């Protein structure tokens, strides 16, 4: 079947709501390997988003694929009335890792898909605190189920369907390049944090009962680096201060690591960069290298022990499924065997340095270039260095998808992900296995695209 035939069928028979449609006729890919996607003509596309930051260990990773194939031949499925060793071992490894990092005992609860795991976190909070509402961040993204959209900033996701439960109160994320209050980090004195604390000054600001010393909300939901928001890296001091404010008011902290967990930022959890301890961690995506939608939550023992959070009310048929947990166990073994902290940090540092070098050529237009591990961002602006430039961002993205970038006589494409509050940021989540040569090639291609689109 030709691509034109497939597009025609898609136009008639597929819902467009189950994908992200950034072009009229999205590219159809045929195969993948390592950091590359291949189209029908065999043109390689260097991928800097790796299946939405899920395939951290490279496409068709031999070891992980073999694990999945072996599991298929041994115990591919099992009703969740029963147990299998992989589920227990994955839970134990994650819980032990959290105990080591956070010095708190806890347990792991599985589900499928990031948004549903976010819903489990909401249930844990409501069950424990008996409070429905929560704080969340502007620019935050936690998924598109009805519950998750209530704590996700964009009205667009709620506009057609509404949401279940209380819509969060959204506060500005410390996005210093575009400070909500128009301040500069050098001399802001963490004004945004002070504004947050001010909400508790009096009951007349609506959340706080000063007589009872009690907040109407049970938790604050955060991303340690905003993912869909455009890989916004916050200053640590903000979150250290925030955690103190929350703790003093008995408000739980839910850390959504769905996109940043498992070393994307160079640490097992991205929140480790912020030196704070959450009450709940939500994870998914890279845990199975994107081979299975396994997701889950870790929560402290008092929130999740079987007496407080008894079996039955959040179960899903595929939660903790054998295929997902088998791959997850192999991923966790891989993380144990190799020093990913060093690997990701070094590669990220090199990639960021090359991007900063390129920024010198386009100092205003590449308005902000930043990164933490292999979570990197390029924010494109107008000539004033600040006004967002979504038009240029889209043009570059589309040019990259044409597959006609040249290197040593070979045609290539460059797969970029557009994100950010103004759709003017590229969020780069390359494979942890990307080579120095491929990083250089990516920067060279990005330069070619800039030159082409600025003409
Ligand atoms: C931080 C974060 N939370 C939750 C989700 C939702 O995950 P899913 O798309 O698997 O439902 C995502 C998805 O990108 C995410 O980045």
């Amino acid at each position: 079947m030709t691509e034109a035939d497939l597009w025609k069928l898609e136009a008639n028979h597929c819902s467009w709501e189950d994908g992200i449609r950034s072009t009229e006729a999205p590219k159809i890919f045929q195969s993948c390997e390592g950091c590359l996607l291949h189209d029908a003509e065999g043109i390689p596309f260097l991928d800097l988003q790796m299946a939405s930051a899920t395939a951290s260990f490279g496409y068709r990773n031999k070891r992980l694929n073999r694990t999945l194939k072996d599991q298929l031949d041994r115990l591919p499925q099992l009703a969740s009335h029963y147990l299998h060793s992989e589920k227990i071992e994955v839970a134990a490894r994650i819980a032990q890792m959290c105990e080591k990092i956070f010095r708190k005992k806890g347990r792991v609860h599985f589900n499928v898909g990031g948004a549903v795991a976010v819903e489990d976190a909401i249930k844990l909070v409501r069950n424990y605190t008996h409070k429905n509402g929560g704080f969340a961040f502007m620019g935050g993204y936690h998924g598109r189920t009805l519950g998750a959209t209530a704590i996700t900033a964009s009205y667009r996701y709620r506009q057609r369907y509404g949401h279940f439960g209380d819509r969060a109160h959204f506060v500005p994320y410390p996005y210093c390049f575009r400070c909500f209050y128009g301040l500069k980090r050098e001399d802001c004195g963490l004004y945004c944090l002070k504004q947050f604390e001010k909400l508790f000054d009096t009951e007349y600001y609506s959340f706080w009962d000063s007589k009872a010393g009690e907040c109407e909300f049970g938790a604050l939901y955060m991303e340690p680096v905003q993912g869909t928001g455009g890989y916004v890296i916050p200053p640590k001091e903000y979150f250290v201060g925030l955690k103190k404010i929350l703790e003093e008011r008995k408000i739980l902290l839910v850390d959504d690591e769905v996109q940043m967990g498992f070393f994307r930022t160079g640490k097992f959890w991205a929140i480790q960069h912020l030196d704070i301890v959450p009450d709940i961690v939500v994870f998914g995506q890279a845990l199975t290298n994107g081979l299975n939608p396994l997701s889950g939550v870790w929560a402290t023992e008092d929130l999740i022990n079987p007496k407080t959070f008894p079996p039955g009310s959040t179960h899903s048929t595929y939660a903790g499924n054998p295929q997902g947990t088998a791959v997850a166990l192999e991923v966790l073994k891989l993380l144990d065997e190799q020093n990913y902290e060093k690997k990701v940090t070094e590669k990220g540092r090199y990639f960021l340095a090359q991007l900063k070098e390129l920024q010198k050529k386009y100092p205003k237009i590449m308005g902000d270039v930043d990164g933490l591990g292999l979570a990197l961002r390029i924010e494109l602006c107008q000539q004033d260095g600040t006004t967002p430039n979504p038009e240029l961002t889209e043009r570059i993205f589309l040019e990259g998808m044409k597959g006609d970038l040249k290197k040593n006589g070979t045609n290539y494409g460059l797969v970029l992900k557009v994100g950010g509050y103004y759709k003017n940021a590229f969020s780069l989540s390359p494979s942890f296995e990307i080579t120095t040569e491929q990083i250089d090639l990516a920067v060279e291609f990005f330069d070619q695209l800039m030159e082409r689109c600025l003409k």
Side-chain angles (χ1 to χ4, degrees):
M1 211 176 271
T2 66
E3 292 208 351
D5 292 335
L6 287 167
W7 279 321
K8 213 153 123 197
L9 282 179
E10 199 247 3
N12 279 321
H13 302 295
C14 294
S15 160
W16 287 15
E17 258 289 35
D18 62 357
I20 297 170
R21 227 180 160 78
S22 33
T23 54
E24 257 311 296
K27 185 90 194 157
I28 297 174
F29 284 108
Q30 299 276 356
S31 63
C32 56
E33 182 81 54
C35 298
L36 299 174
L37 286 167
H38 295 273
D39 70 4
E41 283 141 46
I43 294 177
F45 285 68
L46 184 56
D47 191 350
L48 296 182
Q49 56 84 48
M50 297 305 291
S52 300
T54 60
S56 296
F57 307 94
Y59 289 128
R60 290 175 56 201
N61 179 298
K62 284 198 174 54
R63 175 169 167 180
L64 300 175
N65 281 16
R66 198 182 329 112
T67 301
L68 184 56
K69 286 174 190 166
D70 288 350
Q71 191 67 31
L72 271 176
D73 289 336
R74 199 167 52 76
L75 182 69
Q77 63 258 93
L78 186 70
S80 48
H81 309 67
Y82 311 107
L83 287 169
H84 54 102
S85 63
E86 292 82 2
K87 174 184 169 177
I88 301 168
E89 284 188 61
V90 173
R93 276 177 184 256
I94 294 175
Q96 283 158 4
M97 184 55 89
C98 287
E99 196 163 344
K100 192 168 143 203
I101 297 169
F102 302 136
R103 305 200 178 288
K104 283 198 173 174
K105 185 185 168 352
R107 290 169 190 260
V108 167
H109 171 104
F110 292 110
N111 214 322
V112 270
V116 193
V118 165
E119 301 243 343
D120 286 343
I122 296 172
K123 285 184 183 176
L124 277 161
V125 169
R126 290 185 175 193
N127 180 56
Y128 185 74
T129 65
H130 307 294
K131 293 172 192 295
N132 287 350
F135 294 101
F137 282 108
M138 295 178 186
Y141 183 82
H142 301 283
R144 297 191 204 184
T145 55
L146 287 169
T149 51
I151 58 163
T152 289
S154 306
Y155 166 53
R156 186 163 59 87
Y157 304 139
R158 295 185 293 268
Q159 191 247 342
R160 289 167 184 278
Y161 323 110
H163 55 88
F164 280 129
D166 296 17
R167 176 190 181 281
H169 176 77
F170 296 99
V171 296
Y173 195 76
Y175 174 11
C176 302
F177 181 67
R178 287 192 189 285
C179 173
F180 184 75
Y181 299 104
L183 302 173
K184 291 269 167 271
R185 179 71 197 96
E186 305 82 78
D187 54 9
C188 72
L190 289 179
Y191 180 77
C192 53
L193 186 63
K194 289 181 184 147
Q195 290 302 107
F196 181 73
E197 189 161 28
K198 208 167 151 57
L199 294 174
F200 303 94
D201 273 2
T202 155
E203 70 175 75
Y204 295 96
Y205 291 156
S206 84
F207 311 107
W208 182 243
D209 179 343
S210 34
K211 286 195 185 118
E214 191 186 316
C215 183
E216 187 179 5
F217 291 171
L220 179 142
Y221 299 84
M222 63 169 279
E223 290 165 272
V225 168
Q226 281 194 331
T228 304
Y231 285 16
V232 179
I233 301 161
K236 171 174 138 178
E237 315 79 76
Y238 174 90
F239 276 99
V240 170
L242 183 87
K243 173 69 183 170
K244 191 163 170 283
I245 295 167
L246 297 178
E247 228 163 50
E248 285 167 1
R249 290 160 182 84
K250 299 191 181 64
I251 301 165
L252 300 175
L253 182 68
V254 180
D255 171 28
D256 184 345
E257 298 265 356
V258 167
Q259 197 160 158
M260 295 295 152
F262 309 109
F263 286 101
R264 170 57 54 199
T265 65
K267 299 269 187 205
F268 192 89
W269 301 127
I271 200 169
Q272 290 173 256
H273 292 282
L274 304 174
D275 268 352
I276 55 170
V277 174
D279 298 286
I280 298 174
V281 176
V282 189
F283 59 81
Q285 295 195 339
L287 176 59
T288 63
N289 204 34
L291 293 176
N292 186 279
L294 186 75
S295 65
V297 291
W298 169 87
T300 55
E301 186 67 10
D302 44 348
L303 269 75
I304 204 173
N305 73 75
K307 256 195 173 155
T308 309
F309 197 60
S313 56
T314 61
H315 157 259
S316 155
T317 302
Y318 296 104
N321 71 83
Q323 293 174 44
T325 48
V327 185
L329 182 57
E330 208 59 25
V331 165
L332 294 171
K333 285 180 183 168
L334 195 62
L335 294 178
D336 237 17
E337 289 162 20
Q338 292 186 32
N339 189 346
Y340 275 91
E341 177 156 352
K342 185 164 181 282
K343 185 169 175 169
V344 173
T345 304
E346 283 177 5
K347 288 187 185 193
R349 207 172 278 149
Y350 179 77
F351 206 149
L352 183 60
Q354 303 315 302
L355 290 174
K356 293 239 182 220
E357 200 50 42
L358 185 65
Q359 191 185 24
K360 290 182 188 156
K361 189 171 165 190
Y362 310 99
K364 298 287 182 191
I365 293 180
M366 284 175 76
D368 188 47
V369 170
D370 204 357
L372 193 59
L374 281 168
L376 300 138
R377 75 190 312 268
I378 306 168
E379 188 159 338
L380 296 185
C381 302
Q382 308 283 352
Q383 282 297 354
D384 62 4
T386 32
T387 309
N389 198 338
E391 300 79 15
L392 176 65
T393 312
E394 192 189 356
R395 229 176 311 138
I396 287 179
F397 163 74
L398 292 173
E399 281 296 319
M401 295 309 290
K402 283 186 177 166
D404 61 354
L405 295 160
K406 301 267 186 274
K407 181 70 184 177
N408 300 333
T410 305
N411 276 359
Y412 280 88
L414 187 68
V415 184
L416 294 161
K417 185 165 181 192
V418 176
Y421 293 23
Y422 298 90
K423 294 284 165 273
N424 69 320
F426 290 114
S427 322
L428 313 184
S429 53
S431 164
F432 297 171
E433 308 307 328
I434 193 167
T435 62
T436 306
E437 293 71 33
Q438 284 171 323
I439 293 174
D440 291 342
L441 193 61
V443 176
E444 188 182 323
F445 285 159
F446 192 80
D447 187 17
Q448 282 185 31
L449 291 171
M450 287 284 282
E451 281 193 356
R452 241 192 235 189
C453 296
L454 284 171
K455 262 188 200 148

